[in-house]
Amino acid sequence: MKVLVTGGAGFIGSNFVLRAREVRPAWELTVIDAMTYAGNRASLAPVEDEIRFVEGSIADADLVDRLVAENDLVIHFAAESHNDNSLDNPWPFMESNIIGTYRLLEAVRKHDKRIHHISTDEVYGDLELDDPNRFLETTPVNPSSPYSASKASADLLVRAWIRSFGLKATLSNCSNNYGPRQHVEKFIPRQITGILDGVKPKLYGAGANVRDWIHVDDHNDAVIAIVEQGRLGETYLIGADGEQNNRQMIALILELMDKPADWFEHVNDRPGHDLRYAIDSTKLRAETDWRPQYQDIRAGLRQTIDWYAANRAWWETSKAATEQVYARLGR
Ligand code: NAD
Ligand code: TDX
């Protein structure tokens, strides 16, 4: 099978490519990535000779048309992915996440191929801390930020192309990922690399916000399971029952990195900051044989911390630029 992976130089996409080379060696992989600030070719270095890499944007209709025609399946990770950036400048989110997805859908329709669209639990908005309900495939979208609104828009386009044109597509909405090769702007790598540099973790507001953490390999295994065992036209929620509030996560990181429990600081909160995400992944578990392998958050974090400690060259240059942006935003 020939598989086009969009956004394959980013965090989840590059881990997907590495994982697919291991568990599906017969797949022929082509990556398209625009190499924004979030793309890193070093993430693909171990498989550089085993894949085809095309630098370009999914918003480029001619390029997308050509690449989709040459492949059987598109796995669509490419996106602007950081909420804080979307509050600062929303336009790249509209272009990559909405127009880029539209270009892919039109090419997949024209050439009668298949697409799996990667999305996020953030499209469903947020939950109260004491709400006994978790997000389900049937939960109405209710996004809060320009980022999550752009992802919800893309999801709705995919659903419309399924209904109106019979597009061969599946969707998945996953909770917060962690693991190696995540950009240092994101919560967990920002704190780990800060501590490695002697800088205290930065907690937005009071830190009561809850995220439902999943290891990136578990997310990517679920994507493979959906592609192989899921039903066309369906949406699947991916989650590993990993709810933790941000204070708890910082406490765990500090403990694993041998720092005192109070060695962190509060910074300005994110405007419109979603309070809680939580995923009910019953449908995925009922229809596929997928089960999360990283059920111990401590073990997963230990592996992630060790990776950042051993791969300073991977993150060092982007660290300074990222912290300049945060300094400007007061976070
Ligand atoms: P990332 O920012 O690390 O990587 C995104 C990649 O897409 C980068 O390599 C970037 O260069 C590329 N890209 C951006 N715009 C592009 C364009 N127009 N054309 C081609 N390439 C482009 O993001 P990530 O965390 O790996 O997220 C990947 C996908 O997973 C996104 O669709 C995101 O919405 C979704 N998702 C992420 C999480 C999470 O916790 N990180 C959770 C659920 C879903
Ligand atoms: O320094 C920080 N301090 C802090 O307290 C940073 C960077 C974040 N936070 C908080 C904000 C969130 O409550 O930590 C939580 C996680 O923040 P992010 O890593 O920015 O993730 P989030 O906004 O939850 O979105 C992530 O999960 C869903 C991904 O970035 C999205 O791409 C995905 O769709």
Side-chain angles (χ1 to χ4, degrees):
M1 185 157 67
K2 294 188 173 180
V3 182
L4 178 65
V5 180
T6 75
F11 164 46
I12 306 175
S14 65
N15 280 289
F16 179 85
V17 169
L18 298 178
R19 190 114 187 116
R21 288 302 304 144
E22 232 178 83
V23 300
R24 293 294 178 273
W27 286 8
E28 290 174 42
L29 302 178
T30 298
V31 166
I32 174 176
D33 198 296
M35 296 307 288
T36 69
Y37 78 96
N40 192 333
R41 278 298 281 275
S43 298
L44 295 170
V47 296
E48 197 69 29
D49 299 336
E50 302 165 22
I51 63 166
R52 177 175 166 220
F53 184 90
V54 178
E55 182 168 341
S57 173
I58 54 165
D60 177 342
D62 293 338
L63 177 62
V64 162
D65 184 79
R66 195 153 28 90
L67 290 176
V68 168
E70 292 167 6
N71 285 277
D72 305 306
L73 164 70
V74 181
I75 302 190
H76 175 31
F77 295 96
E80 287 291 336
S81 68
H82 195 37
N83 277 299
D84 289 321
N85 292 343
S86 81
L87 297 164
D88 195 37
N89 178 18
W91 166 244
F93 293 74
M94 307 303 122
E95 185 177 36
S96 292
N97 302 3
I98 304 177
I99 298 172
T101 301
Y102 163 75
R103 298 288 184 218
L104 285 164
L105 293 175
E106 281 296 78
V108 169
R109 175 160 87 102
K110 176 174 160 195
H111 298 290
D112 194 24
K113 306 290 183 174
R114 181 176 170 187
I115 185 167
H116 179 73
H117 173 67
I118 306 289
S119 191
T120 168
D121 58 0
E122 293 193 19
V123 302
Y124 302 112
D126 60 356
L127 298 163
E128 292 300 326
L129 294 179
D130 60 358
D131 191 332
N133 298 306
R134 299 187 289 171
F135 298 138
L136 285 166
E137 287 77 4
T138 48
T139 304
V141 294
N142 184 27
S144 312
S145 74
Y147 162 68
S148 48
S150 71
K151 292 296 293 188
S153 304
D155 293 12
L156 294 178
L157 293 179
V158 180
R159 292 192 203 172
W161 261 242
I162 291 168
R163 168 92 185 234
S164 300
F165 305 121
L167 195 83
K168 286 183 271 177
T170 39
L171 302 90
S172 56
N173 294 75
C174 188
S175 61
N176 281 62
N177 286 217
Y178 73 94
R181 301 173 197 86
Q182 185 169 29
H183 194 277
V184 294
E185 70 192 356
K186 302 301 194 313
F187 178 55
I188 290 177
R190 185 183 188 201
Q191 317 312 342
I192 293 172
T193 55
I195 294 170
L196 290 171
D197 277 348
V199 176
K200 286 183 182 176
K202 318 255 188 219
L203 188 62
Y204 288 3
N209 309 66
V210 170
R211 296 295 182 264
D212 190 352
W213 294 99
I214 183 172
H215 192 278
V216 64
D217 286 345
D218 280 334
H219 180 184
N220 283 327
D221 284 348
V223 169
I224 294 173
I226 293 165
V227 163
E228 293 181 339
Q229 303 165 44
R231 286 177 293 140
L232 283 178
E234 293 290 315
T235 295
Y236 295 88
L237 261 52
I238 306 173
D241 304 325
E243 283 188 68
Q244 300 274 343
N245 74 33
N246 296 339
R247 267 197 319 270
Q248 290 171 314
M249 280 310 265
I250 284 193
L252 206 46
I253 293 168
L254 287 170
E255 185 197 319
L256 290 169
M257 296 184 77
D258 299 321
K259 296 287 181 209
D262 61 353
W263 200 69
F264 69 90
E265 61 188 6
H266 294 274
V267 294
N268 291 336
D269 208 350
R270 171 186 287 168
H273 195 174
D274 277 342
L275 186 53
R276 172 172 166 239
Y277 307 135
I279 289 265
D280 180 338
S281 61
T282 305
K283 179 179 174 183
L284 173 67
R285 295 176 200 227
E287 294 192 18
T288 72
D289 60 11
W290 177 84
R291 298 291 178 274
Q293 301 304 308
Y294 286 84
Q295 273 163 321
D296 178 3
I297 185 83
R298 278 172 174 276
L301 272 180
R302 173 86 273 153
Q303 178 233 26
T304 306
I305 292 166
D306 290 347
W307 189 86
Y308 282 94
N311 290 279
R312 198 169 247 285
W314 185 93
W315 55 266
E316 217 160 29
T317 39
S318 49
K319 181 73 181 167
T322 301
E323 289 305 325
Q324 266 175 17
V325 174
Y326 277 125
R328 182 165 55 75
L329 299 176
R331 294 200 277 282

